[in-house]
Amino acid sequence: MAEIKNYTLNFGPQHPAAHGVLRLVLELDGEVVVRADPHIGLLHRGTEKLMETRSWIQSVPYMDRLDYTSMIINGHPYCMAIERLLGIDVPLRAQYIRVLFDEITRIHHHLFNLGAHALDVGAMAMVLYTFREREDICDILEAVTGARMHQAYYRPGGVYRDLPDRMPKYEVNKFKNAQTVKELNAAREGSVLDFIEDFANRFPAYCDEYETLLTDNRIWKQRLVGIGVIPPERALQLGLSGPMLRGSGVEWDLRKKQPYEVYDRLDFDIPVGVNGDCYDRYLVRMEEMRQSNRIVKQCIDWLRNNPGPVISDNHKVAPPSREKMKGSMEELIHHFKLATEGMHVPPGEVYAGIEHAKGEFGVYMISDGANKPYRVKLRSVAFQNIAALDEMARGHMLADVVTIIGTLDIVFGEVDR
Amino acid sequence: MSAKLDKLCQNLRDVLGQRIGSLGVDRGEVTLVVAAADYLEVATTLRDHPDLCFEQLMDLCGVDYGAYGEVAYSATNPAGTPRFAAVSHLLSLTHNWRLRLRVFAPDDGFPVVDSLVDVWNGVNWFEREAFDLYGIMFSGHPDLRRILTDYGFVGHPFRKDFPVFGHVEMRYDPAQQRVVYQPVTIEPREVTPRIVREDNYGKVDDRG
């Protein structure tokens, strides 16, 4: 019998299933993975070092560029950390808006992940359906913040501005006639909140559609059931969080256990898995989308009935309105100081963690009283997830590695920072 | 909430006793500083003791205190405190509390602390990252390679004496028909200087 030795295979960094720029060095015995060594850092931009050279407010846009599939929510722990260091309160309406957009981006993130994951595994059609809904979410984000992708919407002290009263509409052009435009604009006649509500009412039916395509799909189950099993004790040891931890049956969600903003006033459930395999994590994410939708509806109801300020009126932290600035000397000085020197944050250190779509996303911040952070550490979820890849992939076939990469939910902007 | 923090502090004092370097509560967060010699033992106790039960290590990062409270890094260390620290954030699911654990590396020239990889396996990459970016060595780590920087990178970029522009830049050399490294040609430029004001300058109350 011929002697067969293990061989190494290079996977990525330009492989379509590598979710960006993952270079994976696989040691294989035939088709079985003996060792997987992820090489990361190909997208390393040194965000944390850059933040040390920028004033506190200038780093807000960097946060969106971490996990570029759930943009707004990334800014949340950063702003929370600054608010805790300063000891300022966020207006209640801003807290509701933050929760609303956290959940909208959670849906956005899970849609993105679900589409990409299914695409990796071979269900080509999924990504077309999930991106159809993603388009609506991008429209919401654009209407509210002005940007589809990188919003920089959360600011220390609140959010940049209140929800607008009108939703942008389609216009007739040579590709769309009056009839089509009328249909497309049907949901866009009212305010942004009306459009979000319309989306939230439509969304459960979309989830059912995805489930018809995947949940009982024979190929999907053959590719996912029993793959990448993590027992709960290993999940804890490996520092996993979010759906990766809940898929293994550990009921842990920061929104419930250590509530921040207004999550303690909202009604939602935490789905958990049983077997800890890729299929259970898929089910957890599906259910999380439905739960997020419930939260979105509750936030809409509250926001309709409770107008108010959306950013702190402490002008040492948040700039005054343009109108006030033009009329008052004091506000002009505040604006000038904020725009040139930036705010000063009292010395101290703080760790703010939130339940990101992927798990616990945290910001550890040290301030020495300057107008720039002394040290910012971004506790990225995907970084920790991909560290578990080696353990999960061992003993599986080469094709299963792709399934595992999909379930790990990695986004390289966040892994490499 | 604060009753819970008091209980955590009390438990820490009872269990760790003399091994506590310092223990403080600030902004609702508990920080424990231990000596490098006790680090590994304390970590194991924190995980295993039923009154503490920190099952998860959420985060570990390196910190360079070389320019703390200063405008820039200077080689003379006025405070005389160690320069490098490894800071980890622990989470207990059982008790639902968090702890920040800080250990200073005694030698600034060759910072070494014990690796926690046998206590919490998930710390593996965090320690690789701290090594890569700060040059902190973790003794007992099975695979202490660089992780984020390029293959063949020289230096530890997150140290305060490492310029944000770096030392080398890469370009394509048409004469040699390959990519070459050369010293950086861009001028360092700082739009907003780093300013450390006197005490209480940035202090704000709720009204502003």
Side-chain angles (χ1 to χ4, degrees):
Chain A
M1 193 179 140
E3 198 179 318
I4 299 170
K5 273 195 260 176
N6 287 354
Y7 62 100
T8 51
L9 182 89
N10 187 51
F11 177 102
Q14 277 96 11
H15 194 281
H19 282 224
V21 285
L22 169 65
R23 180 178 172 215
L24 201 56
V25 179
L26 296 165
E27 191 179 331
L28 298 170
D29 175 14
E31 218 184 317
V32 177
V33 177
V34 181
R35 202 171 64 90
D37 180 16
H39 286 210
I40 64 166
L42 286 100
L43 202 62
H44 180 58
R45 295 151 295 181
T47 304
E48 295 159 5
K49 177 97 175 173
L50 285 172
M51 283 176 163
E52 290 171 14
T53 66
R54 303 284 187 275
S55 68
W56 296 91
I57 193 81
Q58 281 176 330
S59 300
V60 169
Y62 281 135
M63 300 303 291
D64 297 316
R65 284 148 183 84
L66 294 171
D67 180 350
Y68 39 75
T69 64
S70 51
M71 301 74 74
I72 286 191
I73 195 171
N74 291 325
H76 200 159
Y78 181 76
C79 294
M80 261 168 70
I82 295 179
E83 285 150 12
R84 280 189 202 163
L85 276 171
L86 286 163
I88 57 166
D89 292 325
V90 179
L92 195 58
R93 187 173 167 86
Q95 296 189 26
Y96 268 96
I97 292 179
R98 282 183 179 183
V99 168
L100 173 69
F101 281 96
D102 277 7
E103 296 307 322
I104 288 178
T105 36
R106 193 183 311 277
I107 293 174
H108 179 275
H109 181 94
H110 284 332
L111 286 175
F112 215 109
N113 171 253
L114 181 66
H117 186 18
L119 187 65
D120 290 348
V121 173
M124 304 289 279
M126 262 320 282
V127 74
L128 304 175
Y129 288 97
T130 59
F131 268 54
R132 181 187 61 187
E133 276 70 79
R134 176 182 178 268
E135 197 55 34
D136 279 345
I137 294 180
C138 283
D139 283 352
I140 296 171
L141 300 181
E142 190 179 2
V144 175
T145 69
R148 279 166 62 85
M149 287 291 280
H150 298 304
Q151 288 91 4
Y153 185 49
Y154 296 173
R155 302 288 165 88
V159 297
Y160 167 58
R161 64 169 178 184
D162 207 343
L163 304 171
D165 294 332
R166 55 179 286 275
M167 188 76 197
K169 295 190 184 66
Y170 286 98
E171 283 169 11
V172 180
N173 58 25
K174 62 181 173 182
F175 302 108
K176 292 189 180 76
N177 61 28
Q179 181 61 31
T180 323
V181 165
K182 198 175 172 219
E183 283 163 21
L184 286 170
N185 284 341
R188 294 163 184 261
E189 298 300 334
S191 67
V192 168
L193 270 181
D194 293 332
F195 186 76
I196 301 175
E197 187 169 34
D198 176 68
F199 176 77
N201 289 333
R202 282 181 282 140
F203 190 67
Y206 296 144
C207 282
D208 295 340
E209 261 178 47
Y210 311 146
E211 296 232 38
T212 358
L213 277 166
L214 291 179
T215 303
D216 293 322
N217 183 323
R218 206 169 64 224
I219 306 169
W220 179 251
K221 287 182 87 167
Q222 279 169 352
R223 291 295 304 270
L224 265 75
V225 175
I227 303 298
V229 178
I230 316 175
E233 57 276 11
R234 286 306 298 161
L236 291 175
Q237 262 287 317
L238 292 170
L240 300 178
S241 53
M244 297 292 292
L245 186 59
R246 291 194 285 274
S248 303
V250 182
E251 197 199 331
W252 181 263
D253 189 317
L254 291 180
R255 292 177 291 170
K256 282 276 187 207
K257 303 288 179 182
Q258 299 176 356
Y260 51 94
E261 309 293 14
V262 289
Y263 277 112
D264 47 353
R265 303 182 184 198
L266 300 166
D267 181 31
F268 60 101
D269 299 321
I270 301 302
V272 288
V274 179
N275 305 312
D277 58 1
C278 292
Y279 188 69
D280 278 20
R281 287 189 283 273
Y282 153 71
L283 293 176
V284 166
R285 290 190 175 116
M286 280 307 292
E287 186 54 34
E288 271 188 16
M289 286 203 279
R290 293 175 192 273
Q291 296 299 331
S292 292
N293 202 45
R294 270 176 73 189
I295 301 176
V296 166
K297 284 184 177 172
Q298 294 169 45
C299 288
I300 293 171
D301 288 342
W302 193 92
L303 287 168
R304 275 192 202 289
N305 303 322
N306 296 278
V310 293
I311 192 156
S312 167
D313 60 356
N314 185 332
H315 296 317
K316 293 227 175 350
V317 177
S321 76
R322 207 77 195 158
E323 215 170 282
K324 277 202 235 160
M325 193 191 99
K326 301 279 183 190
S328 147
M329 193 59 182
E330 195 186 348
E331 307 295 39
L332 185 67
I333 294 170
H334 275 138
H335 182 270
F336 179 75
K337 287 305 278 183
L338 273 174
T340 53
E341 187 175 319
M343 62 176 140
H344 283 257
V345 171
E349 51 186 343
V350 78
Y351 174 86
I354 61 151
E355 190 70 29
H356 188 275
K358 295 195 194 85
E360 181 179 327
F361 181 69
V363 171
Y364 171 49
M365 217 175 240
I366 305 177
S367 168
D368 61 350
N371 58 341
K372 298 175 180 183
Y374 184 75
R375 165 87 167 113
V376 180
K377 169 75 202 305
L378 308 166
R379 193 267 174 200
S380 111
V381 197
F383 182 82
Q384 196 61 345
N385 286 355
I386 195 169
L389 176 74
D390 181 34
E391 182 168 326
M392 287 171 77
R394 275 184 199 202
H396 280 304
M397 300 292 227
L398 177 57
D400 297 332
V401 172
V402 174
T403 313
I404 292 170
I405 291 174
T407 197
L408 285 174
D409 203 0
I410 47 177
V411 174
F412 267 83
E414 194 194 0
V415 174
D416 292 344
R417 287 159 302 179
Chain B
M1 191 63 200
S2 70
K4 198 168 189 179
L5 291 184
D6 289 344
K7 185 160 187 293
L8 171 59
C9 291
Q10 195 53 48
N11 288 357
L12 284 168
R13 283 195 201 96
D14 293 347
V15 174
L16 296 174
Q18 292 300 309
R19 285 173 293 179
I20 294 179
S22 78
L23 182 66
V25 183
D26 180 33
R27 296 177 172 93
E29 294 179 26
V30 184
T31 309
L32 173 67
V33 183
V34 295
D38 298 331
Y39 184 46
L40 189 60
E41 202 190 331
V42 167
T44 316
T45 316
L46 288 174
R47 183 193 62 182
D48 293 335
H49 198 281
D51 287 345
L52 301 167
C53 244
F54 289 98
E55 298 101 339
Q56 269 201 313
L57 183 140
M58 292 320 286
D59 186 26
L60 184 141
C61 66
V63 181
D64 176 0
Y65 282 97
Y68 191 82
E70 309 289 324
V71 172
Y73 174 77
S74 62
T76 55
N77 188 350
T81 49
R83 186 177 162 194
F84 294 104
V87 184
S88 39
H89 289 91
L90 311 178
L91 172 69
S92 165
L93 277 67
T94 318
H95 300 295
N96 193 7
W97 54 35
R98 288 175 187 273
L99 175 70
R100 180 179 301 124
L101 176 64
R102 185 185 356 253
V103 59
F104 283 98
D107 184 359
D108 286 353
F110 183 63
V112 188
V113 295
D114 285 325
S115 168
L116 300 181
V117 79
D118 293 326
V119 188
W120 294 282
N121 300 158
V123 80
N124 186 326
W125 277 29
F126 286 136
E127 292 185 338
R128 277 178 69 185
E129 187 190 316
F131 160 70
D132 187 2
L133 303 179
Y134 285 95
I136 301 171
M137 300 297 209
F138 292 90
S139 73
H141 192 284
D143 183 25
L144 202 63
R145 282 177 294 156
R146 285 186 178 273
I147 187 163
L148 287 174
T149 50
D150 199 1
Y151 305 111
F153 190 87
V154 179
H156 300 289
F158 276 34
R159 289 188 171 188
K160 289 286 178 184
D161 49 351
F162 192 98
V164 76
F165 289 91
H167 294 299
V168 287
E169 67 183 20
M170 195 167 71
R171 69 170 174 91
Y172 178 74
D173 186 350
Q176 299 179 58
Q177 297 208 320
R178 67 182 179 89
V179 164
V180 292
Y181 283 93
Q182 64 184 32
V184 281
T185 52
I186 39 176
E187 294 279 319
R189 185 172 69 103
E190 195 170 38
V191 180
T192 315
R194 183 179 150 81
I195 303 164
V196 187
R197 297 276 183 184
E198 62 278 16
D199 283 352
N200 292 334
Y201 177 82
K203 199 174 177 193
V204 288
D205 54 38
D206 266 336
R207 277 176 214 286

